[in-house]
Amino acid sequence: MSDVSTEASSFTRRLLQRVFPTTTDFFALLAEQSAHVNSAAGLLVEYMGSDSSQATKKICEAGREGDRQKIRNLTLLNEAFSTPIDREDLHRAFINLDEIINSCQSIVVEMDSELLALKPDKACLEMAVYLKAGVEAVAAGYGRLAKEPQAGRADAEKADQAVKSLTRTVRRALAELFQDNDFQNIFRRKEIYTQLSRAGDRLNICNSTLLDIVVKLC
């Protein structure tokens, strides 16, 4: 094929892409990313239950994959001609889902660091279990948006209950922690409890976004 023919063919493809832009399946992207976050939250529970070095490695790998998915999804969102969901809602979901994984990764890395050198305790495990329950519910809700968005309300309610349980556990654990006389232990554990609470805050944003999308679709 001549250079002229190649250039003409390339121009035709670009023109067709402008007139008939490729439609991105944002429902599928949300489902994929939220499922990945759910897997990462499960690894955090594994770490808190066994203090496994393998879990730490897997969470760090999940963090890298989460960043890749976030960047890909945001790029596709930026390039999309139209979206089935408000762009702002999609942006919030992609960003805050990834922040949950980032929180999981930061928690295990800091606990394993020489600075903190903390072993998981019962409170950490309980918080991680509630975080996992909430993320699982949100992931189920995002996964339903394409075919049965109305069903996402029930998932959002489950996630809300999990966030509330996580918050109550954090408060109780902090109250018990400050009964300790070891001030170094207090400050080190308080940092981890606070990070788990922040992960819950990100989950709460994801859940609010899920509800916003459900309302708009229904």
Side-chain angles (χ1 to χ4, degrees), residues 192-211:
I192 298 303
Y193 292 169
T194 299
Q195 288 200 39
L196 282 160
S197 180
R198 288 174 186 156
D201 292 339
R202 292 293 186 174
L203 170 59
N204 195 42
I205 294 173
C206 290
N207 196 37
S208 296
T209 305
L210 170 61
L211 275 174

Side-chain angles (χ1 to χ4, degrees), residues 8 14 20 52 92 97 103 118 134-135 144 158 160 170 175 215:
R14 292 197 301 271
F20 304 105
S52 167
R92 276 198 301 163
L97 282 169
S103 293
L118 279 177
V135 171
R144 299 183 205 277
K158 291 179 184 178
D160 184 58
V170 171
V215 168

Side-chain angles (χ1 to χ4, degrees), residues 27 85 137-138 140-158 207 210-218:
F27 291 119
I85 306 170
V138 165
Y142 279 127
R144 299 183 205 277
L145 290 178
K147 296 182 178 179
E148 46 178 355
Q150 184 65 35
R153 291 181 184 274
D155 297 312
E157 289 177 4
K158 291 179 184 178
N207 196 37
L210 170 61
L211 275 174
D212 287 344
I213 294 172
V214 168
V215 168
K216 293 169 184 176
L217 289 177
C218 298

Side-chain angles (χ1 to χ4, degrees), residues 20-212:
F20 304 105
T22 302
T23 302
T24 300
D25 189 348
F26 286 102
F27 291 119
L29 295 180
L30 275 176
E32 179 189 15
Q33 188 175 352
S34 58
H36 180 65
V37 177
N38 187 35
S39 296
L43 291 171
L44 182 65
V45 173
E46 179 185 333
Y47 174 85
M48 294 302 184
S50 63
D51 187 24
S52 167
S53 60
Q54 281 298 109
T56 301
K57 180 180 178 181
K58 290 177 182 177
I59 290 175
C60 291
E61 290 173 352
R64 289 190 287 272
E65 172 60 17
D67 287 339
R68 187 195 69 79
Q69 289 185 6
K70 178 193 69 175
I71 292 170
R72 178 203 62 190
N73 293 349
L74 291 176
T75 300
L76 289 171
L77 177 61
N78 185 57
E79 295 174 348
F81 179 76
S82 63
T83 61
I85 306 170
D86 282 356
R87 289 177 182 271
E88 183 180 344
D89 289 336
L90 283 168
H91 187 271
R92 276 198 301 163
F94 292 148
I95 291 292
N96 287 287
L97 282 169
D98 184 60
E99 284 299 324
I100 295 175
I101 300 184
N102 291 340
S103 293
C104 293
Q105 183 176 350
S106 295
I107 288 165
V108 298
V109 169
E110 289 201 28
M111 289 181 72
D112 285 347
S113 70
E114 292 183 5
L115 182 61
L116 293 186
L118 279 177
K119 296 293 183 182
D121 61 9
K122 182 180 178 181
C124 285
L125 176 58
E126 188 175 347
M127 293 174 207
V129 168
Y130 285 131
L131 180 68
K132 171 66 168 66
V135 171
E136 186 173 355
V138 165
Y142 279 127
R144 299 183 205 277
L145 290 178
K147 296 182 178 179
E148 46 178 355
Q150 184 65 35
R153 291 181 184 274
D155 297 312
E157 289 177 4
K158 291 179 184 178
D160 184 58
Q161 290 302 314
V163 171
K164 289 178 179 177
S165 296
L166 172 58
T167 301
R168 285 195 295 268
T169 302
V170 171
R171 291 173 180 169
R172 187 188 71 243
L174 286 172
E176 293 174 357
L177 180 62
F178 281 100
Q179 301 301 314
D180 195 348
N181 293 321
D182 185 344
F183 292 104
Q184 285 190 348
N185 182 59
I186 289 174
F187 289 119
R188 287 185 298 173
R189 290 214 174 271
K190 179 178 179 294
E191 174 61 24
I192 298 303
Y193 292 169
T194 299
Q195 288 200 39
L196 282 160
S197 180
R198 288 174 186 156
D201 292 339
R202 292 293 186 174
L203 170 59
N204 195 42
I205 294 173
C206 290
N207 196 37
S208 296
T209 305
L210 170 61
L211 275 174
D212 287 344

